[in-house]
Amino acid sequence: QAEAQAREAQIETALERVRSRSMGMQKSEELKEVIQVVYEQFVHLNILIEHTGFIIDYKERDDMHIWLADRHEVPSEVTIPYFDCAHWNSFNEAKEKGIDFFANHLTFEEKNRFYQDLFKLIPGVPVETLEYYFSCPGLAISTVLLENVGLYIENFSGIPYSDEENATLMRFGKVFQQTYTRFLDLQKAEAQTREAKIEAALEKIRSRTMGMQQSEELGDVATVLFKELNQLVENLWTCGFVLCEKDRAEDEWWLSTREGFIPAFYLPNTGDVTHANIYKGWEKGESYHTEQLEGQALQEHYDWLNNIPVSKKIFDEMLAAGLSLPTWQKLHCAYFSYGYLVMITQVPCPEEQIFKRFAQVFDQTYTRFLDLKKAEAQAREAKIEVALERVRARALAMQEPEELKEVAQVLRTEMGLLGVEELETCSIYINDEATNKTECWYALKDLRVEEKKLVSDHFPLNLNDTWVGREMTKFYRSGTKQVSIIMQGANRKEWINYCEEKSVPFRGYYGEVIPDRTYHLYKFSHGAIGAASAGDISAESWKLLSRAASVFSLAYSRFKDLTQARTDLIRLKEEKKRAEDALTELQVTQKQLIQSEKMASLGELTAGIAHEIQNPLNFVNNFSEVSTELIDELKVERQKIEGERDKQLEEDLLNDIYQNLEKINHHGKRAGDIVKGMLQHSRISTGVKEPTDINKLADEYLRLAYHGLRAKDKSFNAIMKTDFDETIGNINIISQDIGRVILNLITNAFYAAPLPPEGGFKNPDYRHKPTIWIKTLKNPPSGGRGAEVLVSVKDNGPGITQKILVKIFQPFFTTKPTGQGTGLGLSLSYDIV
């Protein structure tokens, strides 16, 4: 009993040590230390043990993720994929049955077969340890299966654990379940803390992104990116972002290290397996890609980089600063729309999700960068346009050629403000090819005075007198638009001395030492614009020169035209006066002709109008006579005595009289409308559009024109067919103008319809039936235009030849015999439309 009590106290003390260490855990990674305490307590309790460990989440996993403690140099944490063996299959059966304890015993041969398969999946175990494992007599394993973790012990004696030892293991299991619960709580808290750190880092990048005022601040964002990632990821060697473009053979790299930001540079995405694979991943739209390099592959990668001048320079500077190149590295690439984030670590790094989140944030960063760049380009373009407009305005304001030196001053000022590198002078050269003479207008900043003000002058020169001048002549005669003439040594001195002789303000500008310069010239229509600088100028500066040349070419051409025009001004005024008089006379004649044409067409309509008026007048007369008879009947009825009068008859007679009066009123208004239309046709248009029924208007003029022609020629006859679109409704038009157009078209159709085809009727028995068609149609909106109404008039006459079709709208052109047409109908219709 005393021994049992002592043993119980010993076990309870061991369990308390495990509890105490479990409660003392501050980080989840300290669970490894707890399992080490468990191992030590089993040893202290004299339980034969080679290993002890726990299996994490064994119910949900097919593999085994084990943390173990022993006295040998084996991994303290290992994941073993499932493989087919008797021991593992027995464990899975126990797991499926839901039992809380599992024990197994392997003989020497069974144990060795198990370890042969196992150690294929666990590389790196020392040879001495393997020899020891394979030499042991057997393997005994006991495992307590808890809620979400399994605790096991094992020995190599080949003797299974006793019931008492297994009971002790069960008690350790219950304590370890509490340990594992605390481990999960710590792990959750650490994940929340980690998430807070990640979100804070992302927010700092977002904040710096939104704080960008200029696109060049993108480098600052790269520095913040590296700083934040370096705090989250261990052994981060460098990181940054790479910008890609479809079908571009190189990518733009922006990197940061602990030493600071590396200026942006370009690297090919071909010629190196690593960079080619990364670029292909972006091109395919992948979200994440890694490249692990070591040994020969890493050496070949750095050999390739050292053959590229820009990257070799970066590595040389890094090595000079005391940094060393890694012997093992992994490139983590998290893709976004315009490229990818690249993180280079010197040890394995399981931070894929963090990198992906940073890539998503950086996608927003680069979008803002593009917006800023676009805004800067627009601002730059606006600044350039303002500068060119100042040059253009001053050039167009010239009254005398000598004012070109003031234009040169404006040009020099504006080009300097736009940042043309090291600009010293701006010159304008005008070449007169007819006289082979050249004149120069120049402006330069006088460095001899404190204010450094601009001085300018104008002088003639002979380009054949100097080497520089002869080079200019070659340029003018060449087909090129631009040239850079390098002025050095004697040639430079010759040119400066020549210019000093020609221009007083230029004398003594350089003093005794005349520096070498490069003259950049760009052609325009009458010469060239030149800018002198200490060396080459950028492509953007060349573009500015070309745009300035274009502006000046236009301005100078206009100035020359105005100068030439001044000599002809008086003659032009006289010609203008004669032209205005002739125009006034022509306009008067045209108005007379138009009125004559209107009156002529009015005369043609008179018979038709009379016919049209006759119908409503007949109705008026008829209903008047009937109404008179009805009134007489009413009088007779009312003369009867009160008892004999028929009240219903009186009421019916009054109703009939009322209806007759309404019909008289209706047909009277109809006659009035016809007269009103005739008056509108005869008077000058007011130009006011009014809602008009186009179908009614077309039908009215069709009948008027027909009856008018019938009045002149009783033998005239034609078939009239109408096809009116009733969905049109009223449209806003000047009815008298559109009525004239329709009348002219119908009149022409009535004239043409009875005519035989060209060559006459081949069949003498054929009876030609003159027919005209008039149609209206509403077309829906299309091509950016609104709805429109089409009015078409067609006849079955002989038509018109292609030869004279182009002339039909010309005033006074007619195909009718002399005296039958004025040739103004279609011309006036064209003007109205």
Side-chain angles (χ1 to χ4, degrees):
Q1 184 178 357
E3 288 172 349
Q5 289 174 346
R7 181 64 175 175
E8 176 61 26
Q10 193 180 24
I11 294 172
E12 194 56 48
T13 300
L15 293 174
E16 187 56 38
R17 288 187 182 125
V18 175
R19 289 191 195 96
S20 177
R21 184 62 191 91
S22 298
M23 297 307 296
M25 282 197 301
Q26 300 298 317
K27 298 179 180 178
S28 61
E29 63 186 21
E30 295 178 36
L31 188 60
K32 291 184 287 188
E33 300 176 18
V34 177
I35 196 59
Q36 187 65 37
V37 172
V38 172
Y39 173 79
E40 292 169 356
Q41 297 311 306
F42 277 119
V43 173
H44 185 68
L45 292 173
N46 294 321
I47 295 176
L48 184 61
I49 184 172
E50 188 70 33
H51 296 139
T52 185
F54 57 91
I55 310 167
I56 295 176
D57 296 333
Y58 71 92
K59 291 182 180 179
E60 287 77 22
R61 302 170 68 113
D62 293 327
D63 59 6
M64 284 192 182
H65 186 70
I66 301 172
W67 287 23
L68 58 87
D70 68 1
R71 59 189 178 84
H72 297 288
E73 296 178 2
V74 295
S76 60
E77 182 180 356
V78 64
T79 299
I80 306 171
Y82 169 81
F83 63 95
D84 188 14
C85 66
H87 171 65
W88 202 320
N89 292 337
S90 298
F91 176 81
N92 285 342
E93 288 177 8
K95 181 173 68 172
E96 290 173 3
K97 291 178 181 178
I99 62 178
D100 59 0
F101 182 79
F102 167 74
N104 202 2
H105 171 251
L106 303 180
T107 65
F108 179 81
E109 293 78 11
E110 291 172 339
K111 178 260 303 179
N112 284 352
R113 283 198 300 271
F114 173 70
Y115 277 134
Q116 282 176 353
D117 293 335
L118 174 63
F119 287 120
K120 290 177 184 178
L121 304 174
I122 308 176
V125 180
V127 176
E128 311 85 62
T129 304
L130 293 175
E131 290 176 352
Y132 171 73
Y133 285 174
F134 283 107
S135 65
C136 294
L139 176 64
I141 303 175
S142 289
T143 306
V144 56
L145 301 176
L146 305 169
E147 182 181 347
N148 47 14
V149 66
L151 179 66
Y152 75 92
I153 56 176
E154 64 182 21
N155 67 69
F156 292 158
S157 67
I159 302 173
Y161 288 104
S162 66
D163 292 341
E164 181 185 349
E165 289 172 330
N166 286 333
T168 302
L169 174 63
M170 294 286 285
R171 293 176 67 180
F172 269 83
K174 292 178 181 179
V175 171
F176 195 78
Q177 178 62 57
Q178 299 170 356
T179 301
Y180 193 69
T181 301
R182 177 162 175 78
F183 160 76
L184 293 178
D185 292 341
L186 288 170
Q187 201 174 52
K188 181 178 179 181
E190 288 168 355
Q192 291 172 342
T193 303
R194 175 75 165 171
E195 176 60 25
K197 287 182 179 179
I198 294 171
E199 196 53 49
L202 294 174
E203 188 55 40
K204 287 177 182 177
I205 296 173
R206 289 190 196 99
S207 177
R208 185 62 190 88
T209 297
M210 297 310 295
M212 282 198 299
Q213 300 299 318
Q214 297 177 333
S215 59
E216 62 189 22
E217 295 179 43
L218 192 59
D220 297 339
V221 180
T223 303
V224 174
L225 176 70
F226 178 79
K227 178 182 176 183
E228 296 305 320
L229 274 175
N230 196 53
Q231 292 177 356
L232 292 169
V233 180
E234 295 180 1
N235 293 301
L236 186 64
W237 185 51
T238 184
C239 79
F241 53 89
V242 181
L243 306 178
C244 306
E245 287 184 15
K246 291 284 187 183
D247 303 322
R248 189 175 71 181
E250 58 181 7
D251 302 324
E252 185 179 355
W253 286 64
W254 296 61
L255 295 180
S256 259
T257 66
R258 290 182 179 86
E259 306 305 312
F261 174 66
I262 299 173
F265 59 94
Y266 284 88
L267 284 180
N269 51 41
T270 58
D272 175 64
V273 175
T274 299
H275 283 206
N277 289 342
I278 294 172
Y279 177 78
K280 287 177 184 175
W282 174 79
E283 202 171 34
K284 291 177 182 177
E286 296 176 3
S287 62
Y288 199 78
H289 182 85
T290 60
E291 289 283 328
Q292 182 174 311
L293 298 173
E294 57 185 321
Q296 183 63 28
L298 182 61
Q299 186 59 49
E300 291 175 358
H301 176 66
Y302 277 110
D303 289 343
W304 177 77
L305 288 172
N306 277 310
N307 284 326
I308 300 172
V310 63
S311 54
K312 184 179 187 306
K313 180 175 180 292
I314 292 171
F315 289 141
D316 290 344
E317 291 174 354
M318 290 171 59
L319 295 173
L323 299 176
S324 59
L325 298 178
T327 57
W328 183 100
Q329 73 176 36
K330 191 169 186 178
L331 289 86
H332 307 261
C333 304
Y335 297 108
F336 60 92
S337 305
Y338 306 99
Y340 55 92
L341 291 189
V342 59
M343 286 66 62
I344 303 177
T345 59
Q346 294 176 285
V347 297
C349 175
E351 301 292 356
E352 177 177 335
Q353 294 305 320
I354 292 180
F355 294 153
K356 285 182 179 180
R357 290 172 67 181
F358 271 75
Q360 290 173 355
V361 169
F362 197 79
D363 201 355
Q364 301 170 356
T365 297
Y366 195 68
T367 299
R368 176 161 175 79
F369 163 77
L370 293 178
D371 291 341
L372 287 171
K373 205 166 185 179
K374 181 179 179 181
E376 288 168 356
Q378 291 172 341
R380 175 70 173 171
E381 179 60 25
K383 191 175 179 182
I384 292 171
E385 271 305 317
V386 170
L388 295 176
E389 186 56 36
R390 289 185 182 128
V391 177
R392 187 185 294 115
R394 185 61 193 89
L396 289 173
M398 287 190 301
Q399 299 298 320
E400 299 294 337
E402 288 74 19
E403 294 181 43
L404 271 176
K405 63 183 181 181
E406 296 178 22
V407 178
Q409 279 190 335
V410 175
L411 179 64
R412 168 63 183 81
T413 300
E414 297 303 324
M415 293 292 281
L417 292 174
L418 290 173
V420 179
E421 297 95 333
E422 301 181 25
L423 188 65
E424 193 170 83
T425 63
C426 264
S427 306
I428 300 169
Y429 292 93
I430 305 298
N431 298 315
D432 189 340
E433 295 181 1
T435 61
N436 199 26
K437 292 181 180 179
T438 303
E439 293 184 86
C440 173
W441 287 260
Y442 73 86
L444 56 82
K445 186 172 288 187
D446 195 345
L447 303 177
R448 296 168 294 182
V449 296
E450 187 174 349
E451 297 84 4
K452 297 180 181 180
K453 64 180 181 180
L454 285 176
V455 295
S456 58
D457 194 22
H458 154 245
F459 61 90
L461 69 159
N462 189 333
L463 295 180
N464 292 323
D465 291 343
T466 62
W467 177 86
V468 174
R470 290 189 289 274
E471 290 297 307
M472 289 186 187
T473 301
K474 291 179 185 177
F475 166 58
Y476 294 143
R477 293 174 180 173
S478 72
T480 58
K481 282 286 187 182
Q482 65 187 56
V483 71
S484 293
I485 301 174
I486 301 174
M487 301 180 290
Q488 297 176 328
N491 293 332
R492 170 70 172 164
K493 292 179 182 178
E494 177 192 44
W495 174 250
I496 296 302
N497 292 335
Y498 182 80
C499 293
E500 285 181 340
E501 290 178 8
K502 298 288 185 179
S503 176
V504 174
F506 194 66
R507 292 174 187 172
Y509 179 79
Y510 289 110
E512 297 182 0
V513 180
I514 301 176
D516 294 341
R517 289 290 183 266
T518 301
Y519 222 166
H520 309 283
L521 296 171
Y522 200 97
K523 285 181 185 175
F524 65 90
S525 57
H526 297 84
I529 287 183
S533 67
D536 292 336
I537 58 175
S538 66
E540 184 184 10
S541 297
W542 270 118
K543 191 173 181 180
L544 288 173
L545 273 180
S546 71
R547 293 177 68 176
S550 176
V551 168
F552 191 80
S553 176
L554 176 65
Y556 189 73
S557 297
R558 178 170 174 79
F559 170 75
K560 293 290 288 183
D561 292 341
L562 289 173
T563 303
Q564 181 66 34
R566 194 178 295 130
T567 59
D568 299 327
L569 185 58
I570 296 175
R571 182 177 60 82
L572 287 175
K573 286 184 177 179
E574 293 174 353
E575 293 294 335
K576 180 184 176 184
K577 181 67 170 61
R578 283 197 292 271
E580 287 175 347
D581 293 343
L583 179 61
T584 301
E585 184 177 350
L586 180 61
Q587 288 173 339
V588 171
T589 303
Q590 186 180 25
K591 288 179 181 178
Q592 292 173 347
L593 284 169
I594 290 171
Q595 190 62 23
S596 298
E597 170 65 14
K598 284 164 56 179
M599 296 309 294
S601 63
L602 182 63
E604 292 177 2
L605 286 176
T606 302
I609 291 169
H611 182 275
E612 287 295 309
I613 291 176
Q614 188 61 47
N615 286 333
L617 288 179
N618 287 339
F619 279 111
V620 169
N621 292 334
N622 291 337
F623 286 119
S624 296
E625 292 175 2
V626 171
S627 297
T628 302
E629 294 173 359
L630 291 173
I631 290 171
D632 290 339
E633 287 184 38
L634 182 61
K635 286 180 179 179
V636 170
E637 189 65 27
R638 287 197 170 178
Q639 287 174 358
K640 295 178 182 179
I641 62 175
E642 187 65 29
E644 296 178 356
R645 286 172 61 183
D646 188 344
K647 299 248 183 193
Q648 183 58 43
L649 178 60
E650 291 179 9
E651 186 66 27
D652 291 341
L653 291 172
L654 287 172
N655 287 336
D656 290 342
I657 294 169
Y658 180 80
Q659 290 174 1
N660 288 345
L661 290 174
E662 282 185 330
K663 292 176 181 177
I664 291 170
N665 181 56
H666 169 73
H667 291 288
K669 287 181 177 179
R670 170 65 183 150
D673 288 341
I674 295 171
V675 174
K676 180 182 176 183
M678 178 180 65
L679 294 174
Q680 285 181 333
H681 183 75
S682 65
R683 67 170 180 262
I684 297 174
S685 170
T686 61
V688 178
K689 295 183 179 181
E690 297 175 342
T692 304
D693 187 337
I694 191 71
N695 295 337
K696 182 178 178 182
L697 186 70
D699 186 62
E700 184 176 278
Y701 276 101
L702 173 65
R703 288 184 289 101
L704 292 177
Y706 177 74
H707 291 303
L709 290 173
R710 288 272 297 170
K712 291 195 298 183
D713 183 5
K714 295 296 183 181
S715 65
F716 174 79
N717 202 355
I719 299 171
M720 297 177 290
K721 296 184 179 182
T722 60
D723 182 8
F724 294 140
D725 187 345
E726 299 299 336
T727 65
I728 296 174
N730 288 348
I731 58 173
N732 281 331
I733 57 172
I734 305 170
S735 57
Q736 57 266 48
D737 286 351
I738 298 300
R740 288 172 192 141
V741 173
I742 295 174
L743 179 63
N744 285 330
L745 295 177
I746 292 172
T747 302
N748 285 350
F750 276 138
Y751 174 81
L755 299 178
E758 187 175 353
F761 297 109
K762 294 180 181 179
N763 183 357
D765 297 329
Y766 173 74
R767 296 185 63 186
H768 178 61
K769 297 179 180 179
T771 307
I772 74 164
W773 295 261
I774 181 164
K775 176 181 179 181
T776 61
L777 178 66
K778 183 178 180 181
N779 291 330
S782 64
R785 299 177 60 183
E788 57 189 14
V789 172
L790 174 71
V791 180
S792 63
V793 178
K794 184 173 73 168
D795 63 75
N796 62 347
I800 187 167
T801 64
Q802 190 69 29
K803 182 177 180 181
I804 62 174
L805 185 62
V806 295
K807 301 179 182 180
I808 61 173
F809 292 121
Q810 293 178 4
F812 310 115
F813 175 79
T814 181
T815 59
K816 296 176 182 177
T818 303
Q820 292 190 25
T822 62
L824 288 174
L826 286 180
S827 174
L828 294 177
S829 298
Y830 185 85
D831 289 342
I832 290 171
V833 173

